[in-house]
Structures are given as structure tokens and as C-alpha cells.
Amino acid sequence: MKHLALGMLLATMLVGCATSPTVTTDHDPAAQFGSYQSYAWLKKPEANSPLIQQRIVSAVDAKLQARGWRQVAEPSADVVLVANVATTQKQSIDTFYNGPAWGGWGWGGMGMGSASTTVRTYDVGTLIVDMFDTKTKQAVWRGTASATVPSSVEKANTLVQAGVDKMFATFPPGSAPAK
């Protein structure tokens, strides 16, 4: 019974961790982010819902504009943005053992126990935002945010905002974290 309770606690903790997006960013150290003042969307994310797409674009726009960047038409932008959304199915397999398990040194026997296995299939969504310098045509920045796709729209909206917030927390590279 003790093992079952520990297993259930661990499973609950893992599910709790899945509610916060995992975010990574990378940038070209030679990029001159201080000279960039404008951006344009070259490709907006194709999400399974146009509302989610609008929320992603609005969240990214808000973060860039808060840093003094302005959105302009593509030919005159310093940077173009390309965003993609992808989902993959994953599975978790949990086996819980219960019952007595006698044995070990000097005991010389095994007791009867049982095991139950649970398979859980879930979707993981990933948002990728790439930035390209329009003059050099080179990638200058990439941010990714991944999380388990929730079943409710409210939780999905919260995850989108949390992912973009974490992605742009220290943007542009070398700046202090946003407050």
C-alpha cells in the first residue's frame, strides 16, 4: 500500500509539472539586436484553431512592441518572424506493485503480490518562433515552448501566454529579464 501511495504521488507531481511549458531559446551571438527596431510576420503559426493562432500572434506582438519594436510591412522590416505549431502524441506507462514482497537476504521466499499497469496517451504541443535578419537572410533567434495540450480552452490559453512570456523573458538576448 505504501508503494501504491508513493506511485500515485509521483504520478500527480509529474502531471503537475506538465502544466508549465518547457521553453528554450537560442540566438546568433553576432546578431546586432540593438539595431533591430521593426518586424513583420512572414509566416504565422497554423494552429488547429484560428483563435489559438490569433492569441499566439497577439502575445508575440505584445512582447516585441513592449521592447520598442514596431510591426511594419515585410519589405521594410529589420526582422521577419516565422512561427510553427506542431503536436505529437506521447504515452506514459505506469506500473504499480502492491501486496507483500518478502524476500531478500536470509528470508528465502517470495510472497504473492500484484501489479497494475496504466497506459496514458496525451498530446504535446510545441510552438516554434524563428527570427531572420532581412538584410543577411540569416536566422538570428529561435524560441520554442512545449507543453501537454490541455482539454480545456481556458488552460490552453493560459499555456500559450505562459509559453510566450517565458520565451521572451530575456529578449533581446543579453537583456535583463522582463518584469
Side-chain angles (χ1 to χ4, degrees):
M1 193 62 153
K2 188 178 188 182
H3 293 289
L4 179 62
L6 183 60
M8 292 301 282
L9 177 64
L10 181 60
T12 303
M13 287 172 43
L14 289 175
V15 169
C17 292
T19 60
S20 177
T22 302
V23 174
T24 61
T25 60
D26 191 14
H27 70 280
D28 177 357
Q32 300 297 315
F33 285 92
S35 67
Y36 300 143
Q37 298 175 2
S38 62
Y39 71 97
W41 284 96
L42 185 61
K43 181 181 178 291
K44 294 180 179 179
E46 294 179 18
N48 61 352
S49 162
L51 293 171
I52 294 290
Q53 177 195 34
Q54 290 170 350
R55 289 178 186 118
I56 292 169
V57 170
S58 293
V60 172
D61 286 345
K63 291 298 177 185
L64 292 175
Q65 290 167 11
R67 279 144 182 94
W69 291 28
R70 68 186 190 293
Q71 186 173 359
V72 297
E74 183 187 332
S76 59
D78 297 324
V79 172
V80 291
L81 307 179
V82 175
N84 292 291
V85 173
T87 57
T88 57
Q89 270 196 347
K90 295 202 174 188
Q91 291 184 329
S92 67
I93 301 171
D94 298 310
T95 302
F96 300 104
Y97 299 94
N98 53 20
W102 303 309
W105 185 257
W107 286 81
M110 294 293 288
M112 294 297 293
S114 64
S116 62
T117 300
T118 304
V119 178
R120 184 175 71 94
T121 302
Y122 58 97
D123 291 325
V124 173
T126 302
L127 168 64
I128 303 162
V129 179
D130 289 310
M131 293 184 182
F132 296 88
D133 184 303
T134 56
K135 290 183 181 104
T136 65
K137 308 289 189 227
Q138 297 294 310
V140 293
W141 186 87
R142 170 174 267 200
T144 63
S146 295
T148 301
V149 177
S151 56
S152 82
V153 174
E154 293 81 19
K155 288 181 183 176
N157 294 338
T158 300
L159 275 176
V160 165
Q161 190 62 54
V164 173
D165 287 348
K166 285 176 76 173
M167 196 182 292
F168 286 91
T170 58
F171 185 85
S175 66
K179 296 195 185 220

